[in-house]
Amino acid sequence: MELAVLSLSFLLLLVIGVPVAFSIGLASVATVLYAGVPVPVVVQKMVGGMQVFSFLAIPFFVFAGELMLYGGIADRIVRFANALVGHVRGGLGMSNVVGCTLFGGVAGSALADVSAMGSVMIPLMKKEGYDADYAVNVTTHSALVGVLMPTSHNLIIFTLATTGIASVSVLSLILAAIVPALLLTLCNLGAAYYVAVKRGYATRGAFPGWGEVLRAFLGALPGLLIVVIILVGILSGVFTATESAATAVFWALLVTAIVYRSLDWPHFLKACAKACKTTGVVLLLIGISSAFGYFMALYEVPQKTGALMQMVSDNPLVIFFLINLLLFLLGTFLDMAATILVCTPIFLPIAMHYGMDPAQFGIVMLINCALGLNTPPVGVTQFVGCAIGGISVGQVMKSILPFYSALGLCLMLVTYVPAFSLWLPSLFK
């Protein structure tokens, strides 16, 4: 009965429009009151959930991403992407994919990626004769690669959500995400090219030459180096994952304020305010989800969910498909951090029982959450892209199938071919 109170109150609060963090917290309190457990238990679990040293990486990575967003990195990345692939069929669409991937690597946030790259590329694509729905779909789907990049704070959130279930290091998850991120980029390039050919978009000039590509690359290199610094620093043991986040902030300040000189004081204050707001929301979710996760473990939610799935099938391929389906459905109305924190304790034990590595499950979880970021009713990246493109969500959804299919293909490959996510971690183990 306590489990029914926990789940039904949570769903009811979500349906009536209560914010996710408060829905989780109020559902936990309702369960405590019904079970006769002292209310301070919820507070204790919240405080204990937030008092983790590794959480320092979250505000640092968020702040570094905001500095990159307001510091003018996007313009230089766009120039490099245009020089590299802008001459092929649907060139601006291809440039958009490459540019969003590169900026996602330095910002680590899909929302920041859409805001920065979309503000540059979507108006430019419309001006060059591309349809608005194509411009928005290319931008929003390409930006999703940011959630898999080494600078993504969602990687940190997942490793912390696995506490007490499995041992997943930040380094192993960062390495596990690199090949799927490249795979997702290739899938996005294929979808962008397919739609460009189908709609008859023309090529955009000739190849400018490798000299121009090199000059554009050197212009964007200081910003792009942040990914290399993080990976080399962690792999070499120079600093930990938490220290790498602080290093990312230092490098972002150095590049935007001194090298490019594009970060002024008003934009710096905006970056600080936005980072504080995002960090507060994430930490609140983490704290409340710790209490929620305690009750899910107490009332054996993972075991009961696994038993229900076994009633459908005991085939691992079917179980993994069901997990993907449920994660996608939950991701369409839950925020990404909330989905990770709520669903990991439920589905990770089931996935491990059927032979899936925790790091592989983490990548599957992140891709599903990324798909949710671009799906109404809580598709924040799609809403931002549509606002920039001046087009309704309904119009964009009519032509979204090729891009959804590309993301779905990537998800299936990562789910059923473990080598995509486990090869690099095993290589550096």
Side-chain angles (χ1 to χ4, degrees):
M1 191 62 191
E2 289 85 354
L3 179 58
V5 172
L6 181 70
S7 55
L8 292 177
S9 59
F10 174 58
L11 293 174
L12 178 62
L13 290 166
L14 284 177
V15 169
I16 64 177
V18 178
V20 175
F22 294 102
S23 298
I24 296 173
L26 291 173
S28 300
V29 171
T31 306
V32 161
L33 294 174
Y34 181 84
V37 179
V39 176
V41 168
V42 177
V43 180
Q44 289 174 353
K45 294 299 177 182
M46 286 178 59
V47 174
M50 291 186 286
Q51 287 181 335
V52 180
F53 177 76
S54 303
F55 281 154
L56 285 176
I58 295 175
F60 281 130
F61 273 136
V62 171
F63 189 31
E66 295 299 331
L67 290 172
M68 295 289 185
L69 172 61
Y70 289 105
I73 305 292
D75 293 337
R76 291 167 177 83
I77 290 178
V78 167
R79 181 188 170 194
F80 170 55
N82 275 332
L84 188 64
V85 296
H87 60 284
V88 300
R89 177 67 67 93
L92 278 181
M94 309 294 278
S95 300
N96 201 343
V97 174
V98 175
C100 285
T101 299
L102 295 175
F103 187 80
V106 299
S109 167
L111 189 57
D113 205 345
V114 170
S115 301
M117 298 300 297
S119 298
V120 177
M121 293 301 298
I122 293 177
L124 179 60
M125 291 179 70
K126 291 173 65 177
K127 182 180 178 181
E128 292 291 328
Y130 292 85
D131 296 317
D133 62 330
Y134 176 74
V136 170
N137 273 322
V138 169
T139 306
T140 55
H141 284 83
S142 302
L144 301 181
V145 182
V147 305
L148 298 175
M149 291 301 187
T151 51
S152 173
H153 65 276
N154 293 295
L155 296 173
I156 309 295
I157 294 174
F158 175 78
T159 59
L160 298 168
T162 62
T163 303
I165 305 172
S167 177
V168 183
S169 69
V170 176
L171 174 58
S172 65
L173 198 60
I174 288 175
L175 292 174
I178 292 175
V179 174
L182 296 175
L183 178 64
L184 181 55
T185 300
L186 291 175
C187 290
N188 283 328
L189 284 170
Y193 183 78
Y194 169 78
V195 177
V197 171
K198 187 177 179 180
R199 296 190 179 187
Y201 294 137
T203 56
R204 186 173 175 263
F207 180 58
W210 290 109
E212 177 60 28
V213 172
L214 179 60
R215 284 190 290 272
F217 172 72
L218 292 176
L221 183 60
L224 297 175
L225 276 176
I226 184 60
V227 179
V228 179
I229 291 172
I230 290 174
L231 287 175
V232 172
I234 298 178
L235 286 172
S236 63
V238 174
F239 43 67
T240 65
T242 303
E243 292 164 347
S244 74
T247 305
V249 173
F250 171 76
W251 188 257
L253 283 170
L254 181 67
V255 170
T256 56
I258 297 177
V259 178
Y260 291 156
R261 297 183 179 180
S262 52
L263 182 68
D264 55 20
W265 185 248
H267 282 124
F268 175 76
L269 293 179
K270 285 183 180 179
C272 291
K274 186 69 180 298
C276 289
K277 179 182 177 181
T278 303
T279 301
V281 171
V282 171
L283 288 179
L284 177 64
L285 273 170
I286 289 172
I288 293 177
S289 296
S290 298
F292 194 74
Y294 166 76
F295 289 111
M296 286 195 296
L298 181 65
Y299 299 122
E300 300 180 338
V301 173
Q303 294 87 334
K304 289 180 171 61
T305 305
L308 287 174
M309 287 186 172
Q310 282 185 325
M311 293 173 63
V312 178
S313 173
D314 58 356
N315 188 325
L317 301 181
V318 177
I319 296 297
F320 294 157
F321 176 79
L322 291 175
I323 290 175
N324 276 314
L325 180 62
L326 290 171
L327 287 176
F328 167 70
L329 293 175
L330 290 169
T332 59
F333 64 88
L334 286 178
D335 180 73
M336 186 168 189
T339 305
I340 295 171
L341 292 165
V342 171
C343 295
T344 298
I346 298 175
F347 294 113
L348 177 56
I350 300 171
M352 291 173 60
H353 176 74
Y354 285 95
M356 182 178 286
D357 187 88
Q360 181 189 0
F361 176 80
I363 306 306
V364 171
M365 166 74 77
L366 291 172
I367 296 176
N368 271 294
C369 291
L371 185 58
L373 287 177
N374 215 31
T375 307
V378 191
V380 289
T381 59
Q382 191 177 75
F383 292 149
V384 172
C386 290
I388 295 172
I391 186 173
S392 69
V393 173
Q395 290 174 289
V396 169
M397 291 297 292
K398 290 178 181 178
S399 58
I400 205 171
L401 184 59
F403 301 94
Y404 256 20
S405 300
L407 191 57
L409 173 62
C410 178
L411 177 61
M412 291 298 103
L413 288 174
V414 172
T415 300
Y416 293 113
V417 185
F420 281 114
S421 50
L422 300 181
W423 174 68
L424 271 181
S426 64
L427 186 65
F428 284 95
K429 189 173 183 181

